[in-house]
Amino acid sequence: MENAGPESARELEQELERLSGLNSQSDDYQVLIAHGRLIVEVLPKVDAALQSIIGQPILSRIDDLQHALRLYGDGAERRAEHFRLALYLVAVLLAAYLLYQFALLRSHTLALRRAHASLKQEIGERLQAESWLRESEARLRAITDSAREAIVSVDAGGNLVSWNRGAALMFGEAAEEALGTSSQRFWMAIQGKLQAEADATDRMINPITESLGIRRDGETFPIEVSLSHWTRGEERFSTAIIRDISARRQLEAVARQQELQLIQANKMTALGTLVSGVAHEINNPNQLILLNAGLLADIWSDALEILDDRYRAGGEFSLAGLPYTELRASAGVLIDDIGDGAKRIERIVADLKHYARPQTEQADAAFSLNEAVERAVRLVRHVIARKTDHFEIRLDSALPPLQGDPRQVEQVIVNLLINGLDALTDTDQTLGVTTRRLDDEGEVCVEVTDQGGGISPEHIQQLCDPFFTTKQACGGTGLGLAISASLMRSHGGRLNFSSEPGRGTVAQAIFPVNSKPWSAAEHAD
């Protein structure tokens, strides 16, 4: 069909039309006819396309293809050049990195060699130091074991880590038993200070404190502790040098009591001089008060009649801002109170002068025990009023006179009264003082009874011992009853005490009738 024209095409179409009109044709034949029609329809278009292709020049197409190939080849060459350059740069960088790593490795090798040499030297020095330390520890152990003081160390938890021979002797426990246990078993109120000082290392390096040590059998004794603190790595330790100061405390107590005795003697000596001067200064204005009080009483008595006339004539009026009727009932009492107060001052001053007058070497005079009691009561009246609302005094008027120094007897009674008042804990409790004659014994006594807390049986026998006191916290010196017992012996008498804890105490000063006191020389012996 290469040379077939439109006429051939029409002929074919006509033939196909004729064939399709036959009724005896099969389905396959009809399909062939349809394909033939399609070929007739498409074939002119294919032919037109071939003619169009054949009409283009082939050489220009080949040139374009070659030009496209050259452009592609040039681009590929350029990309290959760039890739080669990138590979070269990467190679250079890799070489530089290898050189850097080599240099770094060499530097580290040299550093390791130097560190190895330094570590070797340090190990040698440390071994030498450990040798010296062992020698120092041996010397220190020899020193601490030879010391009489207890030298112990504790860790931050208060557990013992060192314990010398002195500590074993002082506390009665060997090092094998003490090490690793709590230090609180051996002393009181010190662990807190150990910890506080350890936490504040900028404080005093070697503080000293006092505490109570506890022996293995439970006995307590005073100790003095010198503290220091040190560290080992991150651990903290405290070292204590402990001294038993029992003997020193006893000597200090004796010295202190002797000093108190001297102070008391000096005070009593000065009191006589002081009382004389004070009595003179008080008596002068007090005499004016007594004189003026009597004069005021006379004036008021004379003025009452005139004032009453005025009241009856004109009714109520004021004097010194007070209604006359009120003043009339109280003025006389006030004036009498002024006079009574001045007389009381006069009696107290006289009692003080009598009490503080220096004693003679041989005091031998007859005196009334009741009067001595009354003077003693007046001297402590202000204390009695403050300590109790129930004070009772009962004096036997049939007592015989005594022979001796009344000032010393007053001192004894004052001491007994003061002790009884100190025992009271409530103003509702009673304090009583009684004088009486002991039946068929030729003796008289002053008895001071209080309802205080009482005295324990183990202390009764020690009450008159010098420096023994149950009132240490209140400033007691332990000298009052000891001096009183000595004064009683100088009069041939004695002190007796009986007490029930919680119910009170009875103190008796017993004097023989008509006994001659000892001389000062005998008393000193």
Side-chain angles (χ1 to χ4, degrees):
M1 297 185 53
E2 296 179 358
N3 297 318
E7 294 80 3
S8 298
R10 283 194 296 271
E11 292 176 358
L12 287 174
E13 288 179 357
Q14 292 174 359
E15 185 62 25
L16 289 173
E17 287 290 338
R18 186 183 64 80
L19 292 175
S20 62
L22 296 178
N23 296 327
S24 60
Q25 295 175 353
S26 62
D27 292 336
D28 293 335
Y29 191 71
Q30 292 293 332
V31 171
L32 288 176
I33 291 173
H35 280 86
R37 288 178 177 175
L38 179 62
I39 290 171
V40 172
E41 182 180 354
V42 173
L43 186 60
K45 296 178 180 178
V46 173
D47 185 48
L50 289 175
Q51 291 297 328
S52 174
I53 292 172
I54 293 171
Q56 292 291 334
I58 296 175
L59 292 177
S60 63
R61 294 282 185 176
I62 293 172
D63 291 339
D64 291 339
L65 179 61
Q66 289 178 349
H67 179 69
L69 290 174
R70 282 196 301 271
L71 290 178
Y72 178 78
D74 292 341
E77 184 67 24
R78 285 194 298 272
R79 287 193 295 274
E81 186 68 25
H82 292 163
F83 184 70
R84 285 193 297 272
L85 180 60
L87 288 177
Y88 176 75
L89 291 176
V90 170
V92 171
L93 290 175
L94 286 174
Y97 178 73
L98 289 174
L99 290 175
Y100 168 74
Q101 290 294 331
F102 178 76
L104 187 63
L105 180 61
R106 183 177 180 82
S107 174
H108 287 173
T109 302
L110 293 176
L112 285 174
R113 289 177 179 174
R114 288 193 297 268
H116 176 71
S118 176
L119 182 60
K120 187 175 180 181
Q121 180 181 0
E122 183 179 350
I123 290 173
E125 293 175 352
R126 179 166 296 184
L127 291 174
Q128 184 67 35
E130 289 178 355
S131 175
W132 292 341
L133 180 60
R134 284 192 295 270
E135 295 177 4
S136 298
E137 288 178 348
R139 288 195 297 269
L140 179 61
R141 189 177 300 109
I143 293 172
T144 55
D145 284 341
S146 64
R148 297 180 60 185
E149 291 84 0
I151 303 176
V152 301
S153 296
V154 299
D155 59 19
N159 297 318
L160 291 163
V161 296
S162 71
W163 186 262
N164 73 332
R165 187 177 302 170
L169 294 174
M170 183 179 297
F171 294 98
E173 189 158 332
E176 295 78 10
E177 300 172 329
L179 291 178
T181 63
S182 173
S183 60
Q184 292 285 16
R185 297 191 301 121
F186 300 102
W187 51 70
M188 301 177 181
I190 189 175
Q191 184 60 34
K193 186 171 181 64
L194 285 170
Q195 189 61 42
E197 291 293 339
D199 293 340
T201 55
D202 57 341
R203 296 185 183 176
M204 187 166 48
I205 296 176
N206 192 27
I208 297 176
T209 187
E210 292 186 0
S211 181
L212 283 178
I214 307 173
R215 303 191 201 276
R216 185 171 185 172
D217 58 3
E219 176 192 358
T220 60
F221 61 100
I223 58 175
E224 182 181 77
V225 184
S226 300
L227 301 174
S228 61
H229 310 284
W230 50 281
T231 59
R232 184 174 63 193
E234 295 183 354
E235 295 180 296
R236 286 187 175 184
F237 299 88
S238 300
T239 296
I241 300 176
I242 304 171
R243 303 171 188 86
D244 186 346
I245 58 174
S246 301
R248 190 176 79 187
R249 284 284 182 85
Q250 291 174 356
L251 292 175
E252 288 175 353
V254 171
R256 186 164 54 251
Q257 298 302 336
Q258 289 175 346
E259 182 182 2
L260 290 174
Q261 280 184 309
L262 291 175
I263 292 172
Q264 184 69 15
N266 185 59
K267 286 168 62 178
M268 294 303 296
T269 302
L271 183 60
T273 304
L274 180 63
V275 167
S276 298
V278 172
H280 178 74
E281 294 297 327
I282 292 176
N283 273 333
N284 285 338
N286 193 55
Q287 291 301 319
L288 289 176
I289 294 173
L290 281 171
L291 179 62
N292 292 336
L295 182 60
L296 284 173
D298 293 339
I299 292 172
W300 179 252
S301 179
D302 293 341
L304 273 179
E305 185 177 351
I306 299 172
L307 293 171
D308 286 342
D309 291 341
R310 164 72 186 276
Y311 178 74
R312 285 191 294 270
E316 185 67 80
F317 61 94
S318 297
L319 287 175
L322 295 174
Y324 171 68
T325 53
E326 180 181 341
L327 190 61
R328 190 183 191 285
S330 59
V333 176
L334 294 175
I335 294 172
D336 291 340
D337 288 345
I338 292 173
D340 292 341
K343 290 176 182 177
R344 183 181 176 191
I345 292 172
E346 189 177 36
R347 287 195 303 271
I348 291 174
V349 170
D351 291 340
L352 283 173
K353 289 172 65 178
H354 183 75
Y355 183 75
R357 186 175 297 123
Q359 300 174 3
T360 59
E361 290 188 359
Q362 292 186 354
D364 187 6
F367 67 94
S368 168
L369 181 59
N370 287 343
E371 291 179 359
V373 171
E374 289 174 342
R375 285 193 295 270
V377 169
R378 285 197 295 270
L379 287 174
V380 296
R381 175 67 70 176
H382 63 291
V383 183
I384 294 173
R386 188 177 72 251
K387 299 285 286 188
T388 179
D389 296 332
H390 304 283
F391 176 68
E392 299 174 354
I393 180 170
R394 295 184 295 273
L395 304 178
D396 187 348
S397 59
L399 291 181
L402 299 181
Q403 197 79 12
D405 188 338
R407 292 183 299 279
Q408 293 183 353
V409 174
E410 290 172 25
Q411 184 175 352
V412 172
I413 298 170
V414 166
N415 282 335
L416 295 180
L417 288 172
I418 291 296
N419 283 342
L421 290 168
D422 287 342
L424 301 181
T425 58
D426 193 287
T427 55
D428 288 333
Q429 294 174 334
T430 299
L431 177 73
V433 57
T434 303
T435 60
R436 60 189 176 89
R437 187 161 188 164
L438 300 181
D439 296 337
D440 302 328
E441 295 183 9
E443 294 176 326
V444 296
C445 79
V446 178
E447 189 173 84
V448 177
T449 307
D450 68 75
Q451 293 182 339
I455 304 170
S456 60
E458 63 269 20
H459 292 158
I460 285 287
Q461 302 301 322
Q462 299 176 274
L463 290 179
C464 294
D465 292 348
F467 314 127
F468 175 80
T469 179
T470 59
K471 300 182 290 184
Q472 187 76 37
C474 302
T477 63
L479 295 175
L481 289 180
I483 293 172
S484 297
S486 177
L487 295 177
M488 291 300 297
R489 287 194 297 270
S490 72
H491 284 77
R494 65 189 185 278
L495 292 177
N496 282 346
F497 298 92
S498 61
S499 180
E500 292 185 45
R503 300 190 64 179
T505 302
V506 177
Q508 290 181 325
I510 301 174
F511 299 88
V513 177
N514 294 327
S515 65
K516 183 177 180 179
W518 300 347
S519 66
E522 292 171 337
H523 179 50
D525 292 338

